């Protein structure tokens, strides 16, 4: 079809003005909607790092067990009758014993079994968790790694297998398209007096977490509020739910991290970096759940989509 604006006859000046106006308007509109390529690459780079962290030795994809300890002696090994039944073929039938007594946990290897802390073998009784330890001790045997975690008043052994089949089966996480509309400024309203908020986890334990403040932000013409707790000295941690949960995203909600605000009390919430909780990848995690005040009625179509069936 012949293009009218390429005809040799002159264009009516009013038509020229009309076309000029809408041409500028279209440029402005496209410019407004277009994403900054540098920003997209920044988010994509963040996502690549996120995937690598999931696959790392300290990631969530290699978890192979979670065993709650009883007070006193707990047997460990691949024998199905063990209190802590490690995977068959990965550990001897009797690997050792773990004792829990008054908040301290010790391990002793079975005779002739080599268990290590780093490159050093465990000799005799080894304290692996105690109130005065800066961090739990990680033990290893073959491809297995295990250490103690505490949830509320309960203690458990978390087991990793560096050869977990899930590592090779993992093909990444679907995401919503990067959308700059979901990168918003937020004002942190700090509490007038120090207080905590109760956080329930999937095991039914409730912990009282110090409230850093409430983040207030606008999205799609509405004002929203999310309570934030601390994640180290310079980060905020936000548990939130939204209208995408269950159908598009993980059912219980997602996690979001943000920089601590500056002197002006402002920070940026980038929902394009919303992530699945560890429980999306493994049944052996103890994920916290969003408090009811952090369940948004808005649809946050940004960040990671749901993964797995856990």
């Amino acid at each position: 079809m012949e293009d009218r604006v390429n005809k040799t006859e002159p264009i009516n000046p009013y038509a020229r003005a009309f076309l000029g106006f809408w041409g500028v308007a279209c440029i402005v509109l496209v410019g407004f909607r277009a994403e900054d390529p540098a920003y997209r690459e920044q988010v994509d780079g963040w996502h690549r790092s996120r995937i690598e962290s999931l696959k790392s030795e300290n990631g969530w994809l290699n978890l192979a067990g979670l065993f709650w300890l009883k007070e006193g002696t707990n047997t460990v090994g691949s024998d199905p009758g063990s209190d802590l039944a490690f995977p068959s073929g990965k550990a001897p039938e009797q690997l050792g014993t773990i004792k829990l007594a008054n908040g301290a946990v010790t391990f002793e290897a079975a005779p002739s079994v080599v268990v290590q802390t780093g490159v050093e073998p465990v000799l005799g009784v080894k304290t692996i968790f105690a109130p005065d330890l800066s961090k739990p001790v990680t033990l290893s045997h073959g491809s297995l790694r295990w250490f103690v975690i505490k949830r509320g008043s309960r203690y458990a052994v978390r087991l990793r297998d560096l050869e977990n089949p899930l590592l090779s089966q993992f093909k990444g996480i679907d995401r919503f398209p990067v959308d700059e509309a979901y990168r918003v400024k937020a004002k942190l309203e700090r509490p007038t007096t120090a207080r905590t908020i109760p956080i329930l986890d999937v095991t039914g334990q409730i912990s009282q977490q110090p409230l850093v403040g409430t983040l207030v932000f606008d999205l799609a013409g509405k004002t929203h509020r999310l309570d934030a707790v601390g994640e180290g000295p310079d980060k905020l941690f936000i548990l939130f739910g939204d209208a995408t949960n269950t159908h598009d995203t993980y059912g219980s909600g997602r996690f979001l991290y943000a920089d601590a605000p500056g002197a002006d009390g402002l920070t940026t919430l980038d929902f394009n970096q919303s992530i699945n909780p560890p429980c999306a990848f493994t049944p052996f995690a103890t994920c916290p759940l969003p408090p009811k005040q952090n369940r948004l009625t808005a649809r946050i179509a940004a960040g990671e989509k749901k993964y797995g069936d856990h």
Side-chain angles (χ1 to χ4, degrees):
M1 181 183 296
E2 189 176 25
D3 188 350
R4 180 177 179 85
V5 297
N6 286 332
K7 282 191 174 183
T8 56
E9 61 180 320
I11 300 176
N12 182 295
Y14 296 105
R16 189 184 302 277
F18 178 81
L19 290 172
F21 169 80
W22 282 107
V24 172
C26 288
I27 291 171
V28 171
L29 183 60
V30 171
F32 177 77
R33 291 178 178 274
E35 291 174 355
D36 178 358
Y39 170 65
R40 173 183 286 276
E41 177 53 34
Q42 172 193 332
V43 176
D44 288 347
W46 162 85
H47 182 68
R48 288 191 292 270
S49 296
R50 154 82 168 153
I51 296 300
E52 290 306 310
S53 71
L54 285 171
K55 297 189 294 185
S56 71
E57 183 169 339
N58 293 321
W60 296 106
L61 294 177
N62 60 29
L63 292 197
L66 182 69
F67 306 94
W68 296 100
L69 298 176
K70 64 184 180 182
E71 194 77 15
T73 300
N74 301 261
T75 56
V76 186
S78 60
D79 185 332
S82 300
D83 296 314
L84 280 66
F86 280 14
S88 178
K90 298 285 186 174
E93 289 190 351
Q94 283 78 43
L95 181 63
T97 56
I98 290 177
K99 291 185 179 179
L100 169 62
N102 301 318
V105 183
T106 60
F107 175 83
E108 185 174 14
S112 303
V113 173
V114 177
V115 173
Q116 295 176 293
T117 58
V119 297
E120 297 295 327
V122 174
L123 302 175
V125 177
K126 174 76 173 180
T127 298
I128 59 174
F129 186 94
D132 58 346
L133 285 180
S134 59
K135 63 178 182 178
V137 173
T138 297
L139 302 175
S140 66
H141 177 84
S143 65
L144 300 180
R145 307 287 185 272
W146 65 96
F147 54 93
V148 176
I149 63 172
K150 183 182 181 184
R151 296 293 181 265
S153 60
R154 302 174 69 195
Y155 300 82
V157 166
R158 172 166 282 165
L159 177 67
R160 299 183 185 275
D161 181 0
L162 304 188
E163 298 173 351
N164 193 327
L166 187 58
L167 287 163
S168 58
Q169 297 167 6
F170 180 68
K171 303 303 180 185
I173 311 168
D174 286 339
R175 294 182 292 160
F176 291 99
V178 175
D179 187 343
E180 289 184 78
Y182 289 102
R183 181 176 58 167
V184 298
K185 286 292 183 182
K187 177 78 171 181
L188 183 68
E189 295 181 349
R190 296 186 181 274
T192 54
T193 57
R195 67 184 185 92
T196 62
I197 55 173
I199 300 293
L200 176 70
D201 69 27
V202 295
T203 70
Q205 298 285 315
I206 296 177
S207 61
Q208 294 292 332
Q209 297 294 322
L211 174 68
V212 176
T214 301
L215 293 160
V216 183
F217 60 97
D218 291 334
L219 185 64
K222 292 185 178 180
T223 300
H224 304 278
R225 303 171 65 87
L226 289 171
D227 282 352
V229 298
E231 182 72 15
D234 55 1
K235 288 286 184 181
L236 301 176
F237 176 50
I238 304 104
L239 296 157
F240 77 96
D242 71 277
T244 68
N245 294 163
T246 302
H247 180 69
D248 296 307
T249 60
Y250 192 69
S252 65
R254 289 178 289 171
F255 294 178
L256 182 64
Y257 295 87
D259 292 332
D264 57 2
L266 294 175
T267 189
T268 298
L269 297 182
D270 191 345
F271 288 100
N272 292 293
Q273 297 184 16
S274 304
I275 62 174
N276 285 308
C279 290
F281 306 100
T282 175
F284 305 124
T286 60
C287 301
L289 302 171
K292 64 180 182 180
Q293 68 271 24
N294 276 16
R295 297 191 177 276
L296 304 175
T297 57
R299 177 179 168 82
I300 308 296
E304 291 182 354
K305 295 184 177 181
K306 66 180 178 181
Y307 177 94
D309 299 316
H310 300 298

